[in-house]
Structures are given as C-alpha cells and as structure tokens.
Amino acid sequence: MPPLSPFRHAVAGLLAALLPLLAGEPVYRTPSAPLAALVDAPSSPVAVLSPDRTRLLLLDRPEAPSIAELAQAELKLAGLRVNPATNGRSREATYTGLSIQPLDGGPARRVTGLPTGARIAGYEWSRDGRHLALTLVFTQGSALWLVDVAAAATRRLTDPVLNGFFGDPVVWLDNTTLLIRRIPAGRGPAPIEPAVPAGPVVQESKGVRAGARTYDGLLGSPHDEALFDHYGTSELALVTLDGRETVLPVRGLLSSVLPSPDGQHLIVETLQRPYSYLVPSSRFPVTIDVHDRAGRREYRVASLPLNEGSDNGSVRPGPRGVGWRADAPATLSWTQDLGRNAKQPDGKTARDAWFTHPAPFNGKPVEQQRFEYRVTGVQWGDDGLALVSETWTTTRVTRLWNVAPGTPGSARKLLFERKTEDRYRDPGRAATVRNALGRLVLARGPGGRLFFHGQGASPDGDRPFLDELDPATGTTRRLWRSTPPYYEEFVAFLDAGFTRALVSRESATEPLNFLVRDYPNGALTPLTANRNPHPAFNDVRREVVRYQRPDGVPLSGTLYLPPGWTPAQGPLPTLLWAYPREFLDAENASQVKATPERFARVSPTGPLPFTLAGYAVFDDPAMPIIAPKGGKPNDAYVEQLVANAKAAIDELVKRGVTDEKRVAVGGHSYGAFMTANLLAHSTLFRAGIARSGAYNRTLTPFGFQSETRWFWQAPQVYAQMSPFNHANRIKAPILLIHGASDNNSGTFPIQSERFYAALKGHGATARYIVLPHESHGYRARESLLHVLWETETWLATHLAKTASP
C-alpha cells in the first residue's frame, strides 16, 4: 500500500480526534496555546537550609503527573490515602532530583547516583549537615538512600521495606544512626474481601454527644479494618551509615515516632482498637509511650480513648501535643485539658495545664503553668525563657507569653495579645538557631534579646520586617523592613553575631530567589537564579484596587489587565475570582492583603491565565462576612456577599475596565459555594464557574468553614446559605467541576452531583464535569489542560457580546 500523502495524514489525524467526540466518548481537551503553555511551565526548585547553615538543598519539582499516574490503585482507609503497591501515601509531593548550593557563593553541585525513575518522597539532614537521608519511592516500594553531601553522591542503605503509611518513615537519631518504620519481616499478602459477608455493619450510639464534621475515606467495614491493620502495621529498626539494620521490639500501628534531642529515647504513638467509621485515624484510641534506644518501654505517658466528637471548644481528655523540650537532652512536654469545656472562656479561668517530665521519668510530671485558652505551641530557649502561645478559636484571641520553665509556677509575662484575624498587629514569629543537640531554639542576641520576623501587613500591602525584642520589658526595635520595589523576607540567621541572614527576594517582575543579606552594610549576595516560568505574562498589567462597600467597609483586590489593552479599546469582559472569609469586626475585615511587589504566580487552576485570553481578572477581591452586633458572621452571609460583589463590579465599571453586562464569577471550594450563592441571590453576573464546592449545608451539619454552630442550633442559617435550596432562582449559566476523588472535608463529589440534578430539574443552563481520579486540588496534566479548556470555552460562550443575558 502506498504511503499516505501529508494531506491524507492530516485528515486521518483529524478523524481520529473527532471519532470519540462523535461517538460521545469522554475526551480530554486542550485550551489555546498560551494557556496550555502555562501547564508545562517549569517550577522553581524547593530550597531547604542545612542544619549548619552553610548550604542550600535544592529539590527539583516534577512536571504535572499524567492521569495514568493518578489512576494507580489507591486505598482510602481512616482518612488516609495509600498506594498499596508502595505501602506509602498516594498523591504525596515528590521530587525528581537535587543539588547542593554552598552559601559562600560557590556553584551548585548536582547530586549524582540517583536511580533512574525514582522519586524523592522524603528528605532529612543529619545534625552535622554531612549527610542527607532520602526516602526514594519505586514501583515496588520505598527505600532509604543516603547522600554524602561533600561528595554530592548517593548510595542505597535499605531495600524497599519502608512503611510510609503514616507519613515519612525516616528520622535521624544521631549523626551516624537512622530510625526507620519498616514493613514487618515476613508480612503476608493483603487480606482479600470475602465474597459473602459474615453479617451486617453495625454502629451504635449510647447517649454520648459525638458531633463530627464530615470526612472522606473513612473505614466502613471489617475488611477495611483488616486492610488498615495490614498496611499500617510497622516495626522499628535502626540503620547505620554502612547499611546495617537492627530490628527493635516495637511493632504496631505506629502513627508517630519522635526521638529525644539526645537520641536515647523515643516517643511512640500506637493506634489501638476500637476503630471508628465516623472519624479519621487521628481520633482513634492511642497509647503514648517512651521507649529507650533499644526499644524497651520506659514510661507510659497516656492511653487515650476514641474521640468521635465533642462540643465546640473542647478537646480529648488527657495529654495532647506530646513532644520533647528542645533545649534539654530528654524532657517530655505536653498540654492537658483541665475539664472546663465551657463554650466561651472568660479569660480568667484556667482550662489548659502545661507539663514537663525529664528522664528517667520518675515521680510526677511537673506542672509548669496554667492557661485560660488552648495552648497551641511552645518555643524553647533555656530555663529562664520559653515562649508559649495560646488561642481560643471562637473569639479568635491569641496570646504569647514569656515563661521561665526552670521555675515552674513563676510569674509569666504577656508579650502580645491580638485577634488572629488582625494581620496589621501580627508581631511575627521568633527567629531560631540550632543548638548542640541539633534542635531549633530561640535565637538570643545581646542582652538576651529575641528576634521576630513576619509579613508586616499594612495598608500599603505586606512589608516583611525583622524586629529585636527585649523579653523582660516587651519593647521592640525595628532592625529592618522590606521596601518597594522588592518583597524580601528573612529566612534564617547564618552567623553567631546575627548580622548575616538568608533571605528570599522577589518583585512584580522578578521571581523569588534566595540571597545572603549582610545587615550592617546592606550587601546582598545572590545564591539562586530562578527565571520567570511564564514570560508570556510579562506584559499583563497589575494594580491593587481599593474601594468601599455601601456600608463603608473598605475593600481591596488585585486587578490584572490583558497585554496591550487600553481604555480606548472599551470595557472588557471580566472574571471575578474570590474566596469569602468571616470576621468578627469590620476593622480587621478591611485590612489590605494585596501586595503589588510580589511576583504573580500563575497557576493553571487559578484565574490569571485568562488575562492571556483577553479578559480582565479581578483576583481575590475582599469578600468579608462580618458578624453583626450580637450575632455571628454567617447571620448576614447572603446580604454581605452580594454587597461585596456589587461593590467590586461598580468600582471596575467606574474605572472603565469592565463591561457590567459581561462579568463572570468563579471560585474553588468555599469560593465555589460563594459562586453558586451569588448566582442564586443576585443578577450581577452573566455566568459562574464553581470548582469542587459544597452546596447543601445539611450535608455538613456539625459545622463548616468557620461556622461552629450545628445545623440544629441555626437551621435558618444553614438553609439560607445553601444554594441547593435556591437552585430554582439560578438563571445565569454555571459550570460545575469536581474531582471524582475529592478528599476535602465537606466537599464530597455528591455535593456537585445533586446540585447539578437540582439545576437540571429547574431547567437551568449548567455543565457538570467530573475529573477522574482527581482530589480536591487537580494535578494531572490532562486534567489541568481540560479545566483550562472548559473554562476558556465557557467564558467565550457566555461573555461574548452576542451572548444572551
């Protein structure tokens, strides 16, 4: 047979592409070339500072995976997603290669010896920075490999025996010994589900309140329990630098293993039965024990019961947040509820107690202090100083205390108190350094002063800062603040005198890179040279827009305009992409988030690509939902949501940017929920795009987002906020997209499925896309391209000047 001509080749290719469409088969589509190019744009490497602060580890991020990779077998067990072939987490972030960048200005060295096709799922520096432990994932499992940093070379330490069911299975005990969670030797095949069930699945409530939010992928049968036991069970083993392995007598569902700073003791958390079909494994019964380095149990910290739910503000009885004191060889630290679970604290009655207990763990634990809110973290300095933070969720009050752990019960000093939603008054977080034990402790300058660094939110946008704080008086002195046109953030000090630091730096036109800053003379030494991954976006104009809601609440957002557009060309079709947030007061709700000095990160799942298709994009315009006097934020959700949207559109129309008859609204997750509500309760928009949302709040009856009331406490709020209940009012076309394997709490795929059925039942114009194998966020290259195509086509169809209103 003679070869086909080029013309016939083209016709044959066109027919091959069209036949699935003509046959009604699902086909992944590709958007216009400028949008498609964004999916394949290279990502900058992830940078990690070495413990000795002389090098940067640069990890290469992979391209978007193929749908074939996402389609691999996956088990959903007790809220975890597991690849049975590797016995590790599925969908976890992995890396394809690594380099070592010296901070003295020398060139980066590529690490050699990695096996072809292996993916780096975990990494951890040794304390001295001479070695790097890698968890490499292969098709048949995960293995431990070692990087000799000086030689920039790798070698294998174990076979693929690591058990990553509960997360990274590798941790250093000291500079020459690693501790691993491994698959038990001689483990047999996975249990097979019986063809005939032995009986029904039975659950029973015995009069105890147990309201839990909705979770994905829970256990649902005895077979699920058997699989959870099979894949989750591991045993501990020591591995030396020469690959010698010593198995320890510690085995079970080891959900967490934390070595003490001196490497001689281990906190081991082991999950126990009975399991639950209502909550994930993090709420299963658990024993918390301390073992010595040989695996012998030394001390039981706690045996905690199943926690299937609780009233707002309460926690599971017993120790929580069990860890090690960072500035001591082996001292336990934990917090414990005092049994006063009132819904609203009075700010005076203690409800949390903080304990420590040093090795050899004899006698009673030491009660350090009592706190009025929930303790959320401890930063260690020495016997004279530790920083303890406490927060209460419903009132959003947070405090930072200066305490002396060497003198339990001594007077503590309040350093900061603010609302968590008050970004302008955020003091930042304390800078740290590594001590001789390799643990992070508070950096102490002359006179014992501390250093705080943060984003520095202000009416002009974020201006990162570095402050010096006297813990005795609580007074601060500003040492440095980022100034336009750059956005620069402190990362870590590099010298004992606290004069040199690793910083990250970017601008509106330059991507983020790492440099060394010398504070006394202001000198900057570049370390990385990341390039703009999407040069086509260079000519997009960006502006922070400020405006007001009709009730006087100041709002802001970031406006992006297509390359080359001028007002003389007339107003543009516009995409408004947002995400509502709840606030307790108008002052904090009006704070500016947009920062013009930051480099625009163009994600294929965000709205910015569509500036390249000729649309104005108003990204993240403020959508505050503010609590009315004496009420909760969501009591006025719909009214405020519509007021926010109208204020945004009015401002863009006033500027001559937007054609008010051609505006689309879109969002992801809670932004999708917002989109559906705006279409149900206003006529402001020509079309909507809702991705991975929840639309019926009776399917999340024990609270959602920042709403802590249960459905039965506020049925009218749940009803009014559910766009499913108002589907008959939606007249504008809406595009629904949802991942078939959404794992986010509350956004089960059935939310979109039933919402689409309601829309279709009422004759609405709607399109419903289910992305195979995708979770709450979309990852596969084919999916990303198709979502761009769907959105581009939807906007072109419904925002065209000839489209019907």
Side-chain angles (χ1 to χ4, degrees):
M1 179 181 291
L4 294 176
S5 67
F7 173 75
R8 293 177 67 192
H9 263 299
V11 171
L14 180 61
L15 287 174
L18 288 176
L19 280 176
L21 295 176
L22 295 174
E25 296 178 12
V27 175
Y28 285 107
R29 306 297 296 274
T30 301
S32 59
L35 272 64
L38 297 174
V39 174
D40 296 322
S43 298
S44 299
V46 172
V48 182
L49 186 63
S50 65
D52 60 2
R53 306 201 174 195
T54 63
R55 301 175 178 90
L56 276 182
L57 170 65
L58 302 176
L59 294 139
D60 300 334
R61 293 190 244 199
E63 298 177 349
S66 70
I67 194 65
E69 183 175 330
L70 263 64
Q72 294 177 10
E74 180 180 67
L75 298 175
K76 300 178 183 180
L77 300 171
L80 305 176
R81 296 195 169 192
V82 182
N83 184 334
T86 64
N87 211 115
R89 296 287 181 87
S90 58
R91 304 171 185 269
E92 66 183 340
T94 58
Y95 306 94
T96 56
L98 60 158
S99 302
I100 306 293
Q101 170 69 64
L103 298 191
D104 61 8
R109 295 186 65 189
R110 193 71 181 167
V111 173
T112 61
L114 288 172
T116 303
R119 292 175 293 135
I120 303 168
Y123 54 89
E124 184 167 346
W125 288 96
S126 63
R127 295 181 184 182
D128 57 11
R130 297 176 59 187
H131 295 96
L132 189 70
L134 301 180
T135 301
L136 295 191
V137 180
F138 302 88
T139 56
Q140 73 276 25
S142 300
L144 173 62
W145 283 60
L146 188 74
V147 177
D148 183 319
V149 174
T154 61
R155 56 188 172 89
R156 179 176 62 84
L157 288 186
T158 74
D159 292 328
V161 297
L162 301 182
N163 189 334
F165 186 89
F166 288 109
D168 195 348
V170 176
V171 65
W172 288 91
L173 286 184
D174 52 45
N175 288 324
T176 61
T177 311
L178 292 129
L179 179 71
I180 65 171
R181 280 178 283 181
R182 55 161 294 154
I183 296 169
R187 185 183 75 175
I192 299 174
E193 185 170 13
V196 179
V201 174
V202 178
Q203 299 185 63
E204 185 175 6
S205 175
K206 295 185 178 180
V208 178
R209 287 168 62 94
R213 294 201 175 192
T214 52
Y215 298 99
D216 171 74
L218 302 178
L219 299 180
S221 69
H223 178 62
D224 285 349
E225 296 186 41
L227 289 173
F228 183 72
D229 287 339
H230 177 82
Y231 289 104
T233 298
S234 60
E235 59 187 9
L236 296 184
L238 303 180
V239 182
T240 56
L241 297 185
D242 59 5
R244 286 182 298 165
E245 193 172 330
T246 304
V247 177
L248 304 182
V250 183
R251 178 172 175 169
L253 293 168
L254 311 179
S255 59
S256 176
V257 181
L258 297 175
S260 59
D262 64 4
Q264 299 303 309
H265 310 272
L266 310 169
I267 297 173
V268 179
E269 297 191 7
T270 309
L271 301 184
Q272 308 289 343
R273 288 178 177 268
Y275 303 151
S276 170
Y277 293 3
L278 292 178
V279 294
S281 61
S282 59
R283 295 193 180 191
F284 287 1
V286 61
T287 54
I288 307 174
D289 296 316
V290 177
H291 293 254
D292 66 16
R293 190 180 173 112
R296 295 182 293 264
R297 193 175 83 179
E298 300 177 282
Y299 176 67
R300 171 150 291 180
V301 181
S303 181
L304 303 179
L306 175 67
N307 178 24
E308 285 194 319
S310 56
D311 290 335
N312 296 330
S314 62
V315 295
R316 177 158 57 180
R320 70 179 193 275
V322 181
W324 295 105
R325 180 171 170 171
D327 62 332
T331 296
L332 293 166
S333 172
W334 70 81
T335 309
Q336 194 162 329
D337 173 59
L338 291 171
R340 297 163 184 156
N341 281 326
K343 291 184 179 180
Q344 293 295 339
D346 57 14
K348 300 177 182 178
T349 304
R351 65 185 58 238
D352 260 5
W354 170 40
F355 294 89
T356 57
H357 200 20
F361 316 112
N362 297 325
K364 292 184 178 181
V366 176
E367 183 178 306
Q368 287 282 345
Q369 297 280 345
R370 293 190 172 195
F371 296 90
E372 293 69 40
Y373 304 139
R374 294 295 179 214
V375 174
T376 54
V378 180
Q379 280 189 286
W380 296 95
D382 52 32
D383 272 349
L385 174 66
L387 300 182
V388 181
S389 56
E390 60 167 344
T391 302
W392 192 256
T393 302
T394 54
T395 59
R396 307 185 191 184
V397 174
T398 183
R399 296 168 173 172
L400 185 67
W401 296 93
N402 171 5
V403 300
T407 313
S410 60
R412 52 181 173 155
K413 180 176 181 56
L414 181 64
L415 295 179
F416 300 107
E417 180 174 0
R418 67 180 180 93
K419 293 288 182 67
T420 55
E421 59 193 26
D422 185 356
R423 298 180 69 246
Y424 288 0
R425 293 176 179 84
D426 185 354
R429 55 194 179 276
T432 58
V433 296
R434 290 195 183 271
N435 60 12
L437 296 167
R439 298 301 176 96
L440 292 172
V441 295
L442 295 167
R444 307 293 297 275
R449 289 177 171 82
L450 303 175
F451 301 94
F452 276 73
H453 58 101
Q455 289 184 318
S458 77
D460 297 321
D462 291 354
R463 300 284 186 268
F465 64 87
L466 178 65
D467 285 352
E468 185 182 66
L469 180 142
D470 185 338
T473 64
T475 57
T476 62
R477 180 171 68 95
R478 182 134 298 174
L479 301 178
W480 170 87
R481 189 187 189 207
S482 181
T483 56
Y486 293 102
Y487 179 92
E488 182 180 319
E489 282 192 284
F490 169 92
V491 177
F493 285 115
L494 299 178
D495 66 331
F498 307 111
T499 61
R500 297 175 63 249
L502 178 69
V503 301
S504 64
R505 202 178 204 217
E506 60 189 289
S507 73
T509 58
E510 301 171 16
L512 184 145
N513 275 289
F514 289 91
L515 308 90
V516 174
R517 173 176 281 278
D518 189 312
Y519 285 112
N521 60 30
L524 284 167
T525 304
L527 294 174
T528 61
N530 299 325
R531 297 181 179 180
N532 186 346
H534 32 73
F537 205 74
N538 284 347
D539 295 326
V540 170
R541 289 170 49 199
R542 178 171 62 166
E543 178 185 358
V544 176
V545 176
R546 303 164 192 265
Y547 52 103
Q548 280 193 345
R549 212 164 70 176
D551 60 2
V553 175
L555 305 174
S556 62
T558 307
L559 175 64
Y560 295 83
L561 296 172
W565 179 83
T566 64
Q569 297 172 0
L572 291 163
T574 299
L575 173 60
L576 186 151
W577 196 269
Y579 191 97
R581 290 173 174 84
E582 298 93 342
F583 294 87
L584 298 182
D585 59 70
E587 179 185 357
N588 292 328
S590 64
Q591 293 183 355
V592 175
K593 292 186 302 176
T595 302
E597 291 77 31
R598 301 209 71 169
F599 184 73
R601 291 158 178 80
V602 186
S603 167
T605 59
L608 301 191
F610 300 100
T611 57
L612 302 180
Y615 299 91
V617 171
F618 201 27
D619 185 35
D620 200 21
M623 290 281 173
I625 308 299
I626 305 167
K629 187 175 182 179
K632 303 288 187 180
N634 286 333
D635 292 346
Y637 174 83
V638 169
E639 299 89 334
Q640 293 194 52
L641 192 68
V642 173
N644 292 329
K646 186 175 187 307
I649 293 173
D650 288 347
E651 178 64 23
L652 298 182
V653 171
K654 184 177 72 174
R655 289 170 171 257
V657 167
T658 293
D659 180 347
E660 65 179 337
K661 295 183 179 179
R662 293 193 293 156
V663 183
V665 62
H668 185 91
S669 195
Y670 207 55
F673 174 69
M674 169 207 74
T675 296
N677 267 307
L678 284 172
L679 296 190
H681 298 288
S682 79
T683 57
L684 296 169
F685 299 97
R686 178 75 70 88
I689 301 158
R691 299 177 184 167
S692 299
Y695 309 103
N696 184 347
R697 284 302 165 199
T698 65
L699 297 178
T700 57
F702 293 102
F704 57 90
Q705 206 71 4
S706 295
E707 179 57 68
T708 58
R709 293 169 294 184
W710 294 359
F711 165 78
W712 301 271
Q713 296 169 315
Q716 71 286 355
V717 172
Y718 276 67
Q720 180 66 6
M721 291 182 68
S722 296
F724 177 86
N725 294 348
H726 309 283
N728 60 312
R729 301 179 57 179
I730 295 179
K731 306 304 180 184
I734 184 169
L735 173 65
L736 301 173
I737 301 176
H738 215 120
S741 297
D742 194 330
N743 68 336
N744 186 55
S745 174
T747 55
F748 298 127
I750 195 174
Q751 289 273 6
S752 289
E753 176 189 331
R754 301 314 301 155
F755 187 44
Y756 172 72
L759 293 168
K760 186 176 179 65
H762 286 93
T765 299
R767 182 174 171 87
Y768 174 36
I769 311 301
V770 179
L771 300 173
H773 305 293
E774 292 291 355
S775 189
H776 192 59
Y778 316 143
R779 295 183 57 213
R781 183 176 185 275
E782 293 88 341
S783 300
L784 297 175
L785 290 169
H786 190 83
V787 167
L788 286 171
W789 179 85
E790 290 283 358
T791 308
E792 184 180 31
T793 303
W794 195 253
L795 294 175
T797 301
H798 298 290
L799 262 61
K801 288 186 176 181
T802 56
S804 300

